[in-house]
Amino acid sequence: MPVESGNSTAARQVKQKRKSHSLSIRRTNSTEQDRPGMQRDLLEGQDSKLPMALRSNLLDLFGQIEREFENLYIENLELRREIDSLNDRLAGEGQTVDGGDLSKGALKTKASHSTSQLSQKLKTTYKASTSKIVSSFKATTSRAVCQLVKEYVGHRDGIWDLAVTRVQPLVLGTASADHCSMLWSIETGKCLLKYAGHAGSVNSIKFHPTEQMALTASGDQTAHIWRYMVQLPLPQPPADTSVSVKTHTHSLFHFFEVLVYFSIFLLFLGFSNFVFAFLLVVLYVCMCVCVCVIVLYECPTIRVATTTLKSHQGVVIAADWLVGGKQVVTASWDRAANLYDVETSELVHALTGHDQELTHCCTHPTQRLVVTSSRDTTFRLWDFRDPSIHSVNVFQGHTDTVTSAVFTVGDNVVSGSDDRTVKVWDLKNMRSPIATIRTDSAVNRISVSANQRIIALPHDNRQVRLFDMSGVRLARLPRSNRQGHRRMVCCSAWNEENQACNLFTCGFDRQAIGWNINIPALLQEK
């Protein structure tokens, strides 16, 4: 018989001890949970260079993670069952489910306290996912009365402001951070005219009440007045593909641009050879071709203003025409608003008093009244009805920047703010608001329909909501990955003369959108 040496006997004893030790660990841990016991056996049966204490800690941590996922899964199933039962009960009563109310009601899950930071992260993710589940039960009422009609694409940067002309032909005007302002055909979505006379971002656009003139405010510290003449295309132009060709070319250009930047990044990392350099040259040539196509389909451009107003020492953020169109008012970051005479371009009055930068200005449609908004949380009402007396009233109803304040056809002022509220004021008694609308996101440049007095609220969170003057929510414009704004919505504008497209919104996703709001159905459901 072969005799084992002393070294082999010692090695076998060490191996047996190690094996018995691992088996003892499996027995103690398998009593904890039967399901992960097999996984622990597989893990512990494998050879590893990690110390046994560290491996044991890792197994305990994995077990905690698995228990957290199991608890979240069980809570999610319970929440789904409760939502289904509530949805069935409300459907039987003829009511609808509002995701916002469910998330704030009794169905809101209260996560238990845990000392693990990983547990807290998992629960935060769970809450976000359940809110999405609840939001999927939103009623389809808004989609029935609010429909996307047309998208206006062509700017190379975000769009700050938009307005509709007051005289025929009715066209849509946009002001963009790409230093340009564009006029669009409402029906076809085609760019009719471009104004490129500013040297900075175009922050505002307003149209003359009786003539074909536009007023734009810019970051170059000036406001421009320029005349336009446009001819609307046919309602159904034969084989007119210029809009689609230009839109797709813009998309291809940005795609090639991203590829070029990525290629340059790879070059810095050391990925360089002949084929790679050849592909980079091809991408550059494709970008040049796209630029040529864009220029080929470019709309007519105006580069010289009829009148230039320059008395501000900072960015001109907004401008508007006074009733009659013989004077204009501008608001600037130099904390002042200026009143100009259009014919002579002379400064008539400097409206000072705000403590911080101005954000917006608006004029009354029938009276010589001006309202200015500011970052100092106030808005001011300037009265020019009496030429000898120019009164001003200061209103302190917000706790953050007042982003806009607009007049209605009646005797009301509606103000929106970064404090996530919108307030409705009565001009005859402006000590306190007559209605307050509380939202979940900052409000940008609002607009009020002239006939039905519906307020359109554009938000930082990409939503657009509709309210009446009493603060009752009417609808929310539909938004998804396929339609709606993909970034902050900056402004809204009503156009009740066009029944097919009566509301316009713009945002920093470089596009303006025309909507059809079925106002009778909207008010009937209220």
Side-chain angles (χ1 to χ4, degrees):
M1 294 179 61
V3 181
E4 294 182 351
S5 62
N7 294 334
S8 61
T9 304
R12 175 173 294 183
Q13 292 176 356
V14 172
K15 187 174 182 180
Q16 291 178 353
K17 289 181 180 180
R18 183 180 301 172
K19 186 174 181 180
S20 61
H21 181 64
S22 62
L23 289 175
S24 64
I25 295 177
R26 287 198 298 270
R27 284 195 297 270
T28 56
N29 289 334
S30 61
T31 58
E32 206 176 288
Q33 288 183 347
D34 296 336
R35 183 171 59 188
M38 296 180 62
Q39 299 178 356
R40 290 175 177 271
D41 293 343
L42 293 175
L43 290 175
E44 294 180 356
Q46 297 177 355
D47 293 333
S48 175
K49 297 181 180 180
L50 295 176
M52 293 305 300
L54 180 58
R55 294 185 65 192
S56 177
N57 291 334
L58 287 175
L59 293 175
D60 292 337
L61 291 176
F62 284 133
Q64 294 178 15
I65 293 174
E66 185 177 8
R67 286 192 295 273
E68 289 292 339
F69 274 108
E70 185 178 4
N71 294 333
L72 295 179
Y73 180 73
I74 294 174
E75 292 177 359
N76 196 1
L77 292 178
E78 294 176 355
L79 181 61
R80 286 175 181 270
R81 285 194 294 268
E82 293 180 2
I83 291 175
D84 292 336
S85 61
L86 180 60
N87 191 29
D88 295 337
R89 180 162 55 88
L90 292 181
E93 296 175 359
Q95 301 179 5
T96 57
V97 182
D98 191 348
D101 296 338
L102 287 177
S103 62
K104 296 179 181 179
L107 298 182
K108 184 177 181 181
T109 305
K110 295 183 179 180
S112 59
H113 177 71
S114 176
T115 58
S116 174
Q117 294 182 354
L118 177 61
S119 172
Q120 296 297 330
K121 292 182 180 179
L122 292 174
K123 290 176 181 177
T124 303
T125 306
Y126 166 72
K127 289 182 180 179
S129 62
T130 52
S131 64
K132 292 181 180 179
I133 296 173
V134 176
S135 299
S136 65
F137 292 95
K138 285 280 187 180
T140 59
T141 305
S142 299
R143 296 182 180 179
V145 300
C146 308
Q147 296 180 351
L148 188 149
V149 178
K150 185 68 65 175
E151 295 179 346
Y152 306 89
V153 181
H155 280 291
R156 296 182 177 88
D157 209 335
I159 303 176
W160 292 115
D161 196 16
L162 80 171
V164 180
T165 56
R166 307 188 198 180
V167 296
Q168 296 294 336
L170 292 180
V171 296
L172 174 67
T174 54
S176 172
D178 62 3
H179 302 188
C180 293
S181 178
M182 290 185 178
L183 303 185
W184 308 82
S185 169
I186 296 177
E187 288 76 16
T188 65
K190 179 180 179 180
C191 178
L192 305 175
L193 185 67
K194 176 191 291 187
Y195 178 72
H198 283 290
S201 170
V202 185
N203 303 318
S204 172
I205 182 171
K206 289 292 185 292
F207 292 101
H208 194 277
T210 58
E211 300 182 30
Q212 291 187 352
M213 299 173 60
L215 170 66
T216 51
S218 173
D220 59 8
Q221 303 183 5
T222 65
H224 289 182
I225 299 175
W226 44 278
R227 292 185 175 272
Y228 64 90
M229 291 184 63
V230 295
Q231 183 177 2
L232 294 180
L234 297 176
Q236 293 181 353
D240 185 6
T241 59
S242 60
V243 176
S244 60
V245 169
K246 186 178 176 181
T247 302
H248 293 311
T249 307
H250 270 289
S251 302
L252 286 176
F253 176 81
H254 292 302
F255 175 71
F256 291 140
E257 186 180 17
V258 171
L259 289 180
V260 168
Y261 288 149
F262 182 70
S263 302
I264 295 175
F265 175 73
L266 292 180
L267 283 176
F268 279 111
L269 295 181
F271 295 92
S272 60
N273 52 43
F274 175 77
V275 177
F276 190 80
F278 177 75
L279 292 177
L280 186 60
V281 173
V282 171
L283 289 175
Y284 181 77
V285 173
C286 292
M287 290 180 62
C288 294
V289 173
C290 291
V291 172
C292 294
V293 174
I294 292 173
V295 173
L296 179 63
Y297 287 98
E298 196 72 29
C299 58
T301 303
I302 299 176
R303 301 186 183 275
V304 180
T306 305
T307 303
T308 301
L309 309 175
K310 44 184 178 181
S311 297
H312 285 289
Q313 304 301 319
V315 170
V316 183
I317 196 66
D320 201 357
W321 303 85
L322 265 73
V323 58
K326 295 182 178 180
Q327 291 180 330
V328 299
V329 61
T330 58
S332 172
W333 284 2
D334 61 6
R335 306 182 183 182
N338 291 342
L339 187 66
Y340 294 93
D341 183 86
V342 174
E343 185 177 356
T344 62
S345 305
E346 293 181 355
L347 177 64
V348 179
H349 293 289
L351 312 179
T352 59
H354 282 290
D355 296 331
Q356 295 187 33
E357 296 89 344
L358 272 65
T359 58
H360 191 249
C361 67
C362 181
T363 59
H364 196 279
T366 59
Q367 303 182 55
R368 292 178 56 82
L369 297 174
V370 177
V371 61
T372 56
S373 311
S374 173
R375 291 175 57 88
D376 60 8
T377 72
T378 69
F379 66 95
R380 295 180 177 232
L381 177 64
W382 311 82
D383 191 348
F384 296 100
R385 290 175 292 186
D386 189 348
S388 59
I389 302 175
H390 301 149
S391 62
V392 57
N393 296 316
V394 183
F395 303 98
Q396 301 176 346
H398 292 282
T399 59
D400 206 339
T401 298
V402 182
T403 55
S404 64
V406 298
F407 291 100
T408 65
V409 176
D411 295 329
N412 296 111
V413 174
V414 183
S415 60
S417 171
D418 281 342
D419 62 6
R420 303 181 180 182
T421 65
V422 174
K423 298 179 183 291
V424 182
W425 309 79
D426 189 351
L427 285 175
K428 299 177 181 179
N429 182 16
M430 299 195 59
R431 294 183 179 180
S432 60
I434 60 177
T436 299
I437 302 171
R438 304 188 184 279
T439 65
D440 59 351
S441 179
V443 182
N444 296 312
R445 294 183 176 180
I446 61 179
S447 64
V448 183
S449 62
N451 297 333
Q452 302 296 336
R453 294 160 61 88
I454 299 177
I455 312 171
L457 309 183
H459 291 284
D460 279 356
N461 63 356
R462 304 172 291 176
Q463 302 289 350
V464 180
R465 295 183 174 92
L466 304 180
F467 289 82
D468 64 6
M469 295 293 290
S470 60
V472 177
R473 174 176 167 177
L474 302 178
R476 185 187 69 183
L477 300 191
R479 193 194 71 81
S480 64
N481 294 330
R482 294 174 293 177
Q483 67 174 358
H485 288 287
R486 296 181 294 273
R487 297 186 65 181
M488 173 183 67
V489 188
C490 300
C491 180
S492 63
W494 288 93
N495 175 35
E496 294 175 286
E497 296 184 13
N498 191 322
Q499 298 298 328
C501 201
N502 53 5
L503 177 63
F504 299 93
T505 58
C506 65
F508 232 63
D509 53 1
R510 306 181 182 181
Q511 69 173 343
I513 299 179
W515 304 86
N516 175 259
I517 310 299
N518 191 342
I519 296 180
L522 194 68
L523 297 177
Q524 184 178 2
E525 292 180 357
K526 181 180 71 170

